[in-house]
Amino acid sequence: MSVARSRILDLMKAQCRIFSTTYNPERLRTGSKVLRQRLRGPTLAAYYPRRVVTLRDLKKAFPDCVTWDEKEEDRLENIQM
């Protein structure tokens, strides 16, 4: 005593309308499970500490102030050689 496929599909359509789900009779992978999940970006960004001010930022903010950037001096020295 099997039920016709068209009748089962009609029942599935009604279920999807009632429960606000996606009608997918072929049961293809849609990715809706992943898309419903919460976004992870803000959590990951909050995990890492904020960027600390560098000497380059200080030079831009205060151009008349004399600072010593050892890495930059080494780089310039290597370029001259």
Side-chain angles (χ1 to χ4, degrees):
M1 180 115 199
S2 75
V3 181
R5 178 164 168 75
S6 63
R7 184 119 169 131
I8 293 175
L9 291 178
D10 290 339
L11 176 64
M12 285 176 60
K13 283 182 189 177
Q15 274 182 328
C16 291
R17 261 188 274 120
I18 292 170
F19 296 111
S20 299
T21 57
T22 305
Y23 177 65
N24 187 6
E26 289 84 29
R27 297 182 185 257
L28 299 173
R29 291 180 144 189
T30 60
S32 60
K33 178 180 174 182
V34 175
L35 292 174
R36 279 182 299 194
Q37 293 176 355
R38 286 182 20 203
L39 296 176
R40 295 181 183 159
T43 306
L44 291 176
Y47 176 80
Y48 295 103
R50 291 185 178 168
R51 193 178 129 210
V52 180
V53 178
T54 62
L55 287 175
R56 185 173 291 169
D57 296 335
L58 288 175
K59 282 184 181 179
K60 284 182 185 176
F62 306 103
D64 56 334
C65 183
V66 178
T67 57
W68 177 260
D69 188 359
E70 190 173 340
K71 288 182 182 179
E72 181 68 15
E73 293 296 326
D74 289 342
R75 187 184 73 82
L76 292 173
E77 188 177 301
N78 287 336
I79 291 173
Q80 289 176 359
M81 289 183 164

